[in-house]
Amino acid sequence: MSSDPGDAPTPPPATAGEGAVSRQEFDALFAAVRTWGRWAAADRGAWNRVTPEHVRRAAALVRSGTLVPMARPWDTAPGPDNSKPALHYMSDLGDVEPPEPATHKDFIAVDYHGKAVSHLDALSHVAYRGQLYEGRAAQECIDAGGARFGAVSALGPLMTRGVLLDLPTVLGVPWLEPGRAVHAADIVAAEQALEVTIGEGDAVLLRSGALRRRQERGAWNTGAASAGLHVDAMPLLAERGIALLGGDGDSDVRPSPVDGLHSPVHALAVAAMGAPLLDNLDLEALSVACAETGRYEFLLLVAPLNIPGGTGSPVSPVAVL
C-alpha cells in the first residue's frame, strides 16, 4: 500500500464498453443476489441483518472516541453536478415576533436524490422491471402521497460496523478517474491491503476520492462519468451479507456497463438485495483518520429523518473510531 498517493499515476478511465454486461446477464445476476421473502419486516430489507449483537460488537470498535462526520455541506450553488440546488433562506431576522427575546429562523428544502446532497436511498426509491424489493409492484405501492412499502420511515436509525474501502490509498493514487470501475477483485485486494474483511451486517463505504478531484480539478457532470462499482462486485457483497452500501459518489460506475440501464448497482443493491444506499458522502476526513489509526473499521451511525412515505432522506452519517 503506497504511503503517498500523489506520486503515482492516475488509472485510466473506463470506457462505456469496458466490462460490458448484457441485459440477459444482468437479469441472471439480479436473480442470483435477490433476497426476497427472507424477512418478515420486508421494507427494512437488509437492515434486518443488524441485530443487537451486531450493535454491541460495533460499539466495541470505539477506541479514541473520535467523531468523523461524513455529510457534504448543504449545497445551494448550481453546478454541473448540482442541477437542483438546495434551498436555504432566513425567514425571521428577529423582526417577526414580539421583540424579546429576539428569535432568528430559517427555511431549508431540497430535492435530495441527485449528485450533491448526502442522502439515504430507502427501498421504495428503486424499482426494476416495475418491481420494488420483495417483488412489490411499484405502481401499486407508490403514488403522489408517497410510498406505502419500503418508505424511509420503516428503516429507523442504524448502528453497525462500517468498513471503508479506500481504493485510492490502496492503489497509490489521489483519486479514481471518472469512469473507473471497481470490480470484485478490487474489493478483495482492498480488504487484503487494508487488513479488513467485510462481514454480515456491515456497512460498506467506497471511497473513490471524487471530492478531492472536484476540489483540485473542479466540478464535472458526475451523472455522465464517475468512478464506482461494476455490477460484478455485487455477488461478493451479497455473499458477505452487507446491510448498507455507500460512497462518495452514488455507488454506480458511469458510463453504465449495462446497456439501457443507467444505475445497475442501484437496481441490484436496493431492488434485489434490499440494501439501502448512502450517496454523495464526504469520505476525505475518514480516509485520513483511518490511515492515521491503521484501522479501516469503525462504528457507523446513520439516522434518516422520519418521513412517512418518503423514498429516502438527507442524512449526516457519523463514523466513530
Side-chain angles (χ1 to χ4, degrees):
M1 180 168 59
S2 170
S3 60
D4 189 358
D7 291 339
T10 302
T15 62
E18 183 178 337
V21 176
S22 71
R23 285 296 288 273
Q24 183 178 9
E25 291 170 325
F26 178 82
D27 286 346
L29 185 59
F30 188 96
V33 302
R34 193 168 55 194
T35 60
W36 297 0
R38 182 167 301 186
W39 296 292
D43 51 1
R44 299 190 75 245
W47 280 23
N48 283 288
R49 299 184 193 273
V50 182
T51 66
E53 180 56 30
H54 283 95
V55 175
R56 287 191 292 269
R57 289 200 302 265
L61 295 172
V62 176
R63 297 181 186 176
S64 67
T66 301
L67 301 177
V68 184
M70 292 178 280
R72 293 177 57 170
W74 197 252
D75 195 344
T76 59
D81 56 350
N82 190 15
S83 61
K84 298 178 180 179
L87 301 179
H88 176 226
Y89 61 80
M90 298 303 296
S91 57
D92 185 348
L93 295 176
D95 57 357
V96 175
E97 298 179 337
E100 297 295 347
T103 59
H104 309 94
K105 302 174 184 176
D106 54 351
F107 171 90
I108 61 172
V110 66
D111 189 345
Y112 59 88
H113 285 300
K115 311 298 181 183
V117 178
S118 299
H119 68 271
L120 179 77
D121 292 340
L123 301 191
S124 55
H125 176 54
V126 178
Y128 181 61
R129 297 196 182 279
Q131 293 183 313
L132 302 171
Y133 180 70
E134 198 72 0
R136 302 294 182 95
Q139 289 188 341
E140 296 177 3
C141 297
I142 302 174
D143 56 25
R148 293 182 295 278
F149 173 82
V152 70
S153 53
L155 292 174
L158 179 73
M159 176 186 288
T160 193
R161 176 182 182 248
V163 172
L164 177 65
L165 297 179
D166 197 337
L167 265 295
T169 295
V170 171
L171 296 174
V173 297
W175 53 73
L176 304 185
E177 281 293 339
R180 169 63 154 83
V182 175
H183 299 272
D186 293 311
I187 293 177
V188 173
E191 288 181 310
Q192 294 172 348
L194 302 174
E195 299 180 349
V196 65
T197 302
I198 299 166
E200 177 86 9
D202 284 352
V204 177
L205 306 180
L206 172 67
R207 175 178 174 260
S208 70
L211 288 188
R212 179 175 171 181
R213 187 186 194 279
R214 188 181 193 274
Q215 182 179 20
E216 296 188 19
R217 297 281 182 87
W220 73 96
N221 181 1
T222 53
S226 61
L229 291 169
H230 190 278
V231 295
D232 70 12
M234 299 306 288
L236 173 64
L237 297 177
E239 179 184 348
R240 300 294 183 85
I242 66 169
L244 176 67
L245 179 62
D248 53 10
D250 67 359
S251 294
D252 268 286
V253 66
R254 302 182 192 283
S256 168
V258 184
D259 185 40
L261 193 57
H262 63 83
S263 300
V265 168
H266 274 63
L268 293 174
V270 179
M273 296 164 53
L277 292 174
L278 280 176
D279 291 348
N280 311 322
L281 302 180
D282 183 344
L283 299 177
E284 296 307 298
L286 182 60
S287 173
V288 172
C290 288
E292 289 177 348
T293 61
R295 294 194 305 137
Y296 287 82
E297 60 176 356
F298 42 85
L299 172 65
L300 177 70
L301 305 174
V302 182
L305 298 176
N306 186 1
I307 308 171
T311 63
S313 168
V315 288
S316 184
V318 176
V320 189
L321 281 70

